[in-house]
Amino acid sequence: QMSSLNSIYFDGNNLEGTIPSELGNITGLKDFVAFDNSLSGTIPVEIAELPLKRFWVTGNNLSGTFPKTMLKNKNMEKLYLDENSFSGFIPTEIAGMTKL
């Protein structure tokens, strides 16, 4: 069990595929940093439900809409989603993420 792991940094590694939903089992995860890769698919709800402080996925091929479950995270300090292929609108509930 890896519940005590608090940071994952995979930036700039040419990773391909989707973000594994199993990462949601790492309940102590605070930082997920995977910018400048070739990740695709959507942000798994299991990741969106974690009490992350940093979620940085700039420069990938992620798609879909922003997971509304992530909007409940009041601990989020850094959220970088640019240079992806997300669709839809930025939810107004993002204003509730007051530490951004």
Side-chain angles (χ1 to χ4, degrees):
Q1 182 148 20
M2 298 176 55
S3 61
S4 63
L5 182 68
N6 61 22
S7 299
I8 293 177
Y9 290 87
F10 290 132
D11 45 299
N13 283 296
N14 297 316
L15 296 175
E16 296 180 352
T18 59
I19 299 173
S21 61
E22 291 82 4
L23 292 177
N25 294 329
I26 307 172
T27 55
L29 192 63
K30 301 294 182 219
D31 300 323
F32 182 81
V33 179
F35 62 86
D36 292 338
N37 284 292
S38 295
L39 297 174
S40 58
T42 60
I43 298 171
V45 67
E46 294 85 355
I47 301 291
E49 291 175 344
L50 290 172
L52 296 170
K53 287 188 174 187
R54 289 168 203 82
F55 187 73
W56 192 348
V57 293
T58 297
N60 282 287
N61 298 312
L62 297 172
S63 58
T65 58
F66 186 80
K68 291 209 175 214
T69 53
M70 193 174 273
L71 296 170
K72 297 176 184 173
N73 183 345
K74 304 301 182 199
N75 297 314
M76 188 73 72
E77 296 173 1
K78 305 284 184 188
L79 179 63
Y80 297 101
L81 303 169
D82 52 309
E83 298 179 32
N84 282 288
S85 298
F86 293 113
S87 59
F89 297 96
I90 298 172
T92 56
E93 296 92 340
I94 201 166
M97 300 174 85
T98 56
K99 292 186 179 183
L100 282 180

